[in-house]
């Protein structure tokens, strides 16, 4: 039998995942009254997070709808997950009734009232484990300092424990790849050669994962596998480095792999990760222009990104949506200027290209409810989005649409996200074995020697 635990949830947990209270299986969950008040104050704001507050309130109400006040305070049985995991109870705790608790913090702040509630429950349930769950780092420190024995972050939706374990989208072999191959069968169709190797060579492989080695000659891509065999499409590093999109050529093998995925019409989702200056935005935009204008594969380019307010608002200043988004999308316009710096009349050229490619700047906040057809969508700086926000955008993509997500996990601006809880990390892990997606970590800064030195030494 596992030890029964009582979890006290902070407001930010229910904003991060409105159904979080259902994730604790056989353990008890307590929601302080202050949390309900904070959800109530947030639900009517004109912000994206307001929807999550309303969903959380409705979910709590659905669970407690038939309970008496006494039952709500004592605990109402949560919906049972399965026979092996009997459910715990959900209760509401009135933290306004607490008086003169030893070690109690001032009741003037909401965080303090939630901490005081956890301290009170800890005192009542001596010998049992009582845990405050919050994504607020400072609140975790305050709770520890006030005497709370157990304080945790919400990790139910965390797929990896350390960012170093995040899928890179490629596997690098030391030395010569072919020296490590014992048995190989090959078949050629047109210009493409596929090798069938022993699965033991790379037991943890994923669809569309790239393979490279130290010889600077071999490059391949996993196109299929079963329990015994691994199918590798022979690409060669020379072919990857010869890729071209809107006059842009790869500067290193990582960019070559990224460009191969970006230009592949069979791949619906491309995820680009890597440090600042590695070329994520430039490659994505060059590939978009190539496929919309030159190849005619898509009708338009939609560019969007997270803002420092976590996509909650684009303000009330006058102007169109594109004009309001312009400051946040400077990285895109900078890349457009780089792509057309040789043109004699660059401004006219930029306007022509934006019109020709039908480039539209959109706010993430207005993506919900849309159905985007036959478009190439560039989602920049998505390390600042939660998993639910990214799900909202990905599910907008209709028939014939390709989505490119890019971001740097070392530059997260959100108050409640870390590298391991970012929505970018979540989709990398969730889509790593989806046949219609590819991930590439662009290792190496190519922006300038100054940017490279700063990335490596600061």
């Amino acid at each position: 039998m596992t030890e029964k635990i009582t979890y006290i949830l902070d407001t930010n947990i229910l904003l991060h995942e409105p159904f979080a209270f259902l994730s604790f299986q056989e353990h008890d969950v307590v929601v302080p009254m202050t949390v309900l008040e904070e959800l109530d104050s947030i639900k009517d704001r004109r912000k994206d997070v307001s929807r999550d507050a309303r969903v959380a309130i409705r979910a709590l109400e659905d669970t407690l709808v038939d309970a008496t006040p006494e039952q709500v305070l004592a605990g109402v049985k949560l919906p049972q997950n399965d026979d092996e995991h009997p459910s715990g109870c959900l209760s509401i705790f009135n933290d306004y009734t607490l008086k003169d608790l030893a070690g109690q913090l001032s009741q003037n702040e909401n965080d303090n009232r939630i901490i005081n509630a956890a301290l009170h429950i800890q005192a009542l349930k001596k010998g049992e484990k009582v845990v405050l769950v919050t994504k607020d780092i400072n609140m975790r420190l305050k709770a520890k300092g006030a005497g709370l024995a157990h304080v945790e972050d919400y990790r139910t939706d965390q797929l990896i424990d350390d960012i170093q374990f995040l899928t890179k989208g490629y596997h690098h072999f030391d030395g010569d790849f072919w020296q490590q191959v014992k048995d190989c069968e090959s078949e050629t169709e047109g210009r493409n050669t596929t090798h069938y190797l022993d699965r033991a060579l790379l037991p943890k492989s994923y669809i569309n994962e790239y393979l490279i080695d130290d010889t600077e000659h071999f490059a391949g891509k996993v196109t299929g596998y079963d329990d015994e065999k691994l199918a590798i499409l022979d690409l060669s590093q020379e072919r990857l480095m010869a890729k071209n999109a809107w006059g842009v050529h790869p500067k290193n093998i990582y960019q070559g792999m990224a460009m191969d995925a970006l230009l592949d019409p069979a791949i619906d989702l491309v995820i680009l990760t890597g440090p600042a200056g590695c070329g994520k935005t430039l490659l994505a935009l060059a590939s978009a222009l190539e496929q919309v204008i030159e190849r005619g594969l898509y009708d338009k380019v939609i560019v969007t990104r997270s803002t420092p307010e976590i996509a909650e608002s684009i303000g009330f200043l006058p102007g169109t949506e594109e004009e309001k988004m312009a400051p946040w999308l400077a990285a895109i316009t900078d890349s457009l200027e780089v792509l057309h710096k040789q043109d004699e009349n660059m401004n006219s050229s930029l306007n022509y290209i934006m019109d020709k490619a039908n480039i539209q700047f959109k706010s993430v906040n207005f993506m919900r409810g849309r159905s985007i057809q036959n478009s190439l969508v560039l989602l920049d700086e998505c390390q600042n989005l939660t998993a639910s926000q990214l799900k909202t955008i990905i599910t907008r993509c209709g028939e014939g649409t390709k989505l490119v997500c890019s971001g740097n996990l070392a530059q997260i601006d959100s108050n409640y996200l870390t590298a391991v809880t970012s929505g970018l990390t979540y989709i990398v892990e969730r889509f790593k074995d989806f046949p219609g997606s590819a991930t590439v970590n662009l290792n190496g800064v190519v922006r300038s020697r100054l940017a490279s030195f700063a990335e490596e030494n600061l």
Side-chain angles (χ1 to χ4, degrees), residues 353-422:
I353 291 301
M354 289 183 68
D355 183 60
K356 183 78 173 173
N358 195 8
I359 299 178
Q360 302 176 10
F361 291 163
K362 297 295 180 183
S363 168
V364 169
N365 193 39
F366 297 149
M367 296 292 277
R368 180 173 283 118
R370 296 191 61 184
S371 180
I372 303 171
Q373 308 290 333
N374 207 40
S375 305
L376 207 157
V377 182
L378 306 183
L379 177 56
D380 203 18
E381 301 289 340
C382 61
Q383 74 274 5
N384 290 314
L385 294 172
T386 65
S388 63
Q389 287 172 328
L390 271 171
K391 179 182 178 181
T392 297
I393 297 169
I394 294 172
T395 53
R396 298 305 97 209
C397 296
E399 194 69 33
T401 289
K402 182 168 188 159
L403 175 63
V404 180
C405 296
S406 61
N408 178 9
L409 290 166
Q411 294 184 341
I412 294 177
D413 300 314
S414 170
N415 294 331
Y416 300 119
L417 291 178
T418 64
V420 292
T421 60
S422 166

Side-chain angles (χ1 to χ4, degrees), residues 64-76:
L64 303 174
V65 64
D66 296 323
T68 65
E70 293 76 18
Q71 290 173 328
V72 170
L73 294 175
V76 174

Side-chain angles (χ1 to χ4, degrees), residues 212-244:
I212 55 176
D213 65 8
D214 289 333
T215 65
E216 298 185 359
H217 295 296
F218 168 77
K221 182 167 70 172
V222 178
T223 56
Y225 58 81
D226 56 27
D227 292 338
E228 297 180 355
K229 293 290 184 180
L230 193 65
I232 305 294
L233 177 64
D234 197 329
L235 296 173
S236 86
Q237 292 197 26
E238 183 180 0
R239 285 173 63 183
L240 288 179
M241 294 302 291
K243 294 284 181 181
N244 172 54

Side-chain angles (χ1 to χ4, degrees), residues 289-303:
L289 295 178
E290 177 74 20
Q291 293 175 90
V292 172
I293 298 176
E294 293 295 330
R295 304 187 185 182
L297 297 177
Y298 306 97
D299 294 336
K300 58 188 173 184
V301 179
I302 296 177
V303 182

